[in-house]
Amino acid sequence: MKEIRVCAGGACIASGAFSVRDALLKELKEKGLDGQYKIVETGCMGMCSRGPFMVVDGVVYAKLNERAVKEIVDSHLVGGKVVEKYLMALPEGQKVKEAFKEHPFFSRQVKIVTRNLGKIDPKSIDDYIDRGGYKALEKVLKEMKPQDVIEEIKNSGLRGRGGAGFPTGLKWEFAAKQKSDRKFVVCNADEGDPGAFMDRAVLEGDPHSVLEGMAIAAYAIGAQQGYIYVRAEYPLAIERLTVAIDQARRRGFLGKNILGTDFSFDIQIRIGAGAFVCGEETALMASIMGERGQPRVRPPYPVEKGLWGYPTVINNVETLANIAWIINNGWREFRKYGTEKSPGTKVFALAGKINNTGLVEVPLGITLRELIYDIGGGIPGGKKLKAVQTGGPSGGVIPADKIDTPIDYESLTALGTIMGSGGIIVLDEDDCMVDVAKFFLEFTVHESCGKCTPCREGTRAMYEILDRISKGEGTMEDIDALEELAVVVKETSLCGLGQTAPNPVLTTLRYFREEYEIHVKEKRCPAKKCRDLISYVIDPKACTGCTACKIVCPTGAIEGELNKLHYIHQDLCIKCGSCMDVCRFDAVFKVSPPIKEDEKVQSS
Amino acid sequence: MVEEKVRSALEKAREKVLEEKDYVMEVVRYLHEEFDGYAPPEALELAAHLLEVPPSRLYEIATFYSLYTLKKEAKHVISVCASLPCHVAGGREIIETLRKELGIDFGQVTPDGMFKLEEVGCLGRCDTSPNMMIDGTLYRNLTPEKVVAILEAYRKGVIE
């Protein structure tokens, strides 16, 4: 029986993957083909902007709907003729059949963590086993001593993919050396960084790889119980993990005497409740233990005193998804990818102003240029790249002239940002750096747990300064004060949240200080983004008097008769931009600094 | 009625937890399930009494985590992403449309009890920004027009 793979990742489901699946079932039945084809609902195929996806005989069809399915069944399955219009196109416009091999978005990737995404049904343990699943666990339990496992992971050079990049093997070794009758393994699946969604994709698309990684970690350090702490915002991930844990228990990969050995290990899910700070390991442990999710001082580190005071290894989802692959293929194979200090691959989430949004797994050491232009397909609308934001609210911005830097833990730190969990937000000429910094600070102010003063008060004070600057009310002293505060908060905060919260401010100041100064001195926003520093005006040469803007304006700020030039009253305008959105003649444009009522502006 | 639900929440939590201490956390979570999205103070106090812990142990959890609440929510909870990836993709206009259409700000409920507007950090769907979630259903690639149409569908009961 042949397989037809339908992507059932979160994004594809939201764009109609299930109605595609149902239509496919119906069509197959009608054509009498249901005995020949088996539909496999897989995890995320990666290029979420073009879903729903379906793969038949290696041919990749994208952007599907029910009608498309009917055409494909009629033409491809019955007639043997590929339906060109639903194929993916290369950047040059040429359509390709086997996009996973031919399209640069897919062909440049190296799939270790995402090895099963898009290939197996995440609800089926048999699919996972068929592709070599749980072999690594068996090998470890039957052929390796815990110390051998630790050596293997140490040699691989795998570093924590949650952000800090701490060597995983070393962490395991510390925990293994602790003398304790109880130990824990925790999977940190509290993926909260805005812009990152790789952990969700792995949990939804290949949950067993995470369970297998946890079981191997448990064997290596001598733990009996594991927890997966996952965000409540990821209901599909929770559902698939629940199914997977249940299946693994029934097959004897979890529970008592795993695979007939005397090793026992079980896993429970703990669901978060919307606190970003719980991604920090000590806060996460507090939350599992039924407390407020507030971090504590380290040391003692969790490997010494973790859950309920016992040694605990906390690894991120992506880190754990690497483990079985390394055991199966050996550390030398792993080290073939990536750099000396940052071996292996990293899954990046491409978002923002980029043509191909989605998830990509590439070797570390790749440059941002390759990631954004070769794989990501560049910036939409012919706009200019301005900067790249990495690491979410804990990271910083990298200006366009530094995009040839290879991406690894050290070089990103040298640029003032961090790898973080791998979110890449691409910013173009229309994005304002003061606005970006303000935005992230607003996030941290909201998410700061309030335990330590530098983070609680410092982030708020920084936000207030940024708010003033974005409104044209800032002073040059404000910029200096902002910088000083940022350094203090970075150096004195209790946990990673506060220590990294100033990064967006520090990097935008470092690379775009001039933009801050223009906001202060000229009361102008060069990107025309900061609302208090812009005005909407109508170009008399382009306006046709169609009245579209007048109709849509919520405050009645636009005056003008049919077929005559329209005019925006600045004292009534709330700068919502609706007029600009509806104008079909590009007659509405923004100016900065803002103008006053009755002030005339030359069209640009 | 309240006692029944509290006892049921305690029962479910008891079945799940392995350790003594994390019991309270799961109790708060199951109380939200029992009361359909919130944990009323009288339920927290009764649960504390039955658990023989000070009520502050449950209150501190119910008030720290943003998904927990002491007050009855609106019929539909709209969680709109207020993070950078959505912001750069036009999220500001989405939030404004919601505020305008609903006539409320973040954390507020419409006078008819129909909608509550909440901001969330990130829904993890940055590839299809801007996004919002209503009662767990994701709406993506939003435009102000789509938002108006979606709200209309909820108001008319087309979407329950």
Side-chain angles (χ1 to χ4, degrees), chain A residues 48 182 200 274 291 435 531, chain B residues 19 66 87 92 96 124 127:
Chain A
C48 310
R182 294 185 74 189
R200 173 177 64 77
E291 318 247 326
D435 184 57
R531 183 156 304 177
Chain B
E19 313 280 335
S66 60
H87 179 69
R92 186 164 74 184
E96 244 146 46
D127 46 322

Side-chain angles (χ1 to χ4, degrees), chain A residues 437-453:
Chain A
K438 181 180 146 187
F439 220 81
F440 276 125
L441 257 295
E442 197 179 346
F443 180 85
T444 0
V445 168
H446 199 258
E447 296 297 344
S448 171
C449 78
K451 183 169 178 174
C452 76
T453 315

Side-chain angles (χ1 to χ4, degrees), chain A residues 300-339:
Chain A
Y301 286 90
V303 288
E304 302 152 351
K305 277 193 181 348
L307 280 178
W308 294 288
Y310 298 106
T312 302
V313 156
I314 302 176
N315 285 140
N316 152 278
V317 171
E318 191 183 336
T319 314
L320 289 164
N322 272 297
I323 301 296
W325 192 95
I326 296 172
I327 298 292
N328 284 327
N329 297 279
W331 62 269
R332 285 183 187 84
E333 195 61 27
F334 187 75
R335 277 196 171 272
K336 281 188 185 159
Y337 304 104
T339 65

Side-chain angles (χ1 to χ4, degrees), chain A residues 10 14-15 48 182 197 200 231 268 270 273-274 287-288 290-291 293 308 353 357 435 439 529 531, chain B residues 16 19 21-22 25 57 60-61 64-67 82-84 87-88 92 96 122 124-127 140:
Chain A
S15 47
C48 310
R182 294 185 74 189
F197 48 98
R200 173 177 64 77
R231 305 177 76 192
Q268 278 215 353
R270 285 291 178 268
S287 186
I288 291 182
E291 318 247 326
W308 294 288
K353 309 286 179 61
T357 56
D435 184 57
F439 220 81
K529 186 95 180 178
R531 183 156 304 177
Chain B
K16 191 177 167 198
E19 313 280 335
K21 281 188 195 158
D22 62 341
M25 177 69 113
R57 274 293 283 125
E60 66 169 354
I61 291 167
F64 179 81
Y65 294 94
S66 60
L67 294 182
S83 292
L84 190 71
H87 179 69
V88 300
R92 186 164 74 184
E96 244 146 46
C122 176
R125 315 280 170 162
C126 318
D127 46 322
R140 336 157 306 139

Side-chain angles (χ1 to χ4, degrees), chain A residues 17-94:
Chain A
F18 288 153
S19 48
V20 163
R21 172 201 62 193
D22 294 342
L24 186 59
L25 275 168
K26 183 170 151 263
E27 290 299 321
L28 288 176
K29 208 164 222 163
E30 271 176 22
K31 297 284 180 313
L33 293 168
D34 47 340
Q36 293 175 40
Y37 290 94
K38 181 179 136 200
I39 299 177
V40 181
E41 289 169 38
T42 74
C44 180
M45 295 186 180
M47 203 177 196
C48 310
S49 54
R50 311 286 162 86
F53 281 98
M54 170 169 125
V55 185
V56 192
D57 307 324
V59 178
V60 182
Y61 290 111
K63 284 213 161 199
L64 297 175
N65 52 34
E66 288 161 49
R67 207 187 60 217
V69 170
K70 191 170 171 5
E71 280 180 56
I72 292 166
V73 172
D74 283 345
S75 171
H76 186 145
L77 300 188
V78 178
K81 194 168 169 290
V82 170
V83 188
E84 189 153 322
K85 72 175 156 179
Y86 300 111
L87 294 176
M88 290 190 63
L90 293 180
E92 303 82 46
Q94 185 204 341

Side-chain angles (χ1 to χ4, degrees), chain B residues 97-145:
Chain B
T97 308
L98 284 167
R99 280 190 176 131
K100 199 177 79 193
E101 286 291 316
L102 301 171
I104 52 171
D105 210 334
F106 288 134
Q108 297 177 341
V109 177
T110 51
D112 59 0
M114 191 76 172
F115 297 105
K116 180 178 185 187
L117 185 60
E118 276 186 349
E119 59 176 325
V120 291
C122 176
L123 292 165
R125 315 280 170 162
C126 318
D127 46 322
T128 55
S129 296
N131 301 305
M132 67 173 179
M133 208 180 237
I134 304 184
D135 310 331
T137 306
L138 184 74
Y139 295 94
R140 336 157 306 139
N141 292 322
L142 291 172
T143 59
E145 293 76 30

